[in-house]
Amino acid sequence: MYGALWRVLPGPVWLKLVILLVLVAAVLLACVTWVFPWAQEYVFPQDVTVTQ
């Protein structure tokens, strides 16, 4: 999968790296913005058993 993505991206190696970094940042932003808050509704935190 990653090899196919690398071959599809245009430009020299440095440009491919920049594009990949932007894509990774966009995916992480989407996860933090929409996916994680949606999943939090369905995942309930465990009761804390460690005391101070």
Side-chain angles (χ1 to χ4, degrees), residues 16 18 23-24 26-28 32 35 39 44 50-51:
K16 289 181 181 187
V18 170
L23 287 174
V24 167
V27 168
L28 290 175
V32 170
V35 176
F44 299 106
V50 179
T51 60

Side-chain angles (χ1 to χ4, degrees), residues 3-38:
L5 179 61
W6 187 258
R7 286 188 297 273
V8 170
L9 292 175
V13 174
W14 66 269
L15 182 60
K16 289 181 181 187
L17 287 174
V18 170
I19 293 171
L20 281 177
L21 288 174
V22 169
L23 287 174
V24 167
V27 168
L28 290 175
L29 180 66
C31 284
V32 170
T33 304
W34 295 296
V35 176
F36 295 153
W38 170 80

